[in-house]
Amino acid sequence: MSSTVVVLGWLLFFSMLMFSLPFITYFGVSRVLSDYGIEGFPNRAWSVFASVVSVNLIIALYAIKAWYEPDEPVPRGGGDSRKDQ
C-alpha cells in the first residue's frame, strides 16, 4: 500500500476524532455531572474543559504518531528520481 494512502488514512481518522470526540466528551461529562447534582455554570465549565482536554489529547497523539513514523529513504543519484528517457 502506498505511504501516501496510509498517511491520508491516519489524517482522516484523527480528523474524525477531532470532530466527534469533543462533542461526545462535552455531553458525556455534562450528563455525569448532572447525575451528581452539579448544574448551571459549573456543569458547563467542566464540560467545556473536558472537551478542550480531549482535543489537545488528540493533537498530542497525532504528533506522537507522526514523530515515530519511519522516514522514507532518500533516492540516490542527485535528487532526481526520474530516469533519463
Side-chain angles (χ1 to χ4, degrees):
M1 192 178 328
S2 172
S3 65
T4 305
V5 173
V6 172
V7 169
L8 288 176
W10 280 110
L11 180 63
L12 180 65
F13 172 73
F14 281 104
S15 297
M16 288 176 13
L17 278 181
M18 288 270 294
F19 178 77
S20 61
L21 194 60
F23 288 114
I24 294 168
T25 303
Y26 177 83
F27 290 111
V29 170
S30 178
R31 176 70 180 240
V32 168
L33 292 176
S34 293
D35 290 344
Y36 284 103
I38 300 172
E39 297 291 337
F41 178 75
N43 184 314
R44 286 189 298 271
W46 283 109
S47 299
V48 168
F49 179 74
S51 295
V52 170
V53 168
S54 72
V55 168
N56 284 307
L57 182 64
I58 294 167
I59 292 170
L61 289 174
Y62 183 73
I64 290 168
K65 167 119 181 53
W67 182 267
Y68 285 109
E69 279 187 2
D71 293 334
E72 291 188 22
V74 177
R76 292 185 177 186
D80 191 9
S81 62
R82 295 178 290 174
K83 293 184 179 183
D84 293 331
Q85 296 178 6

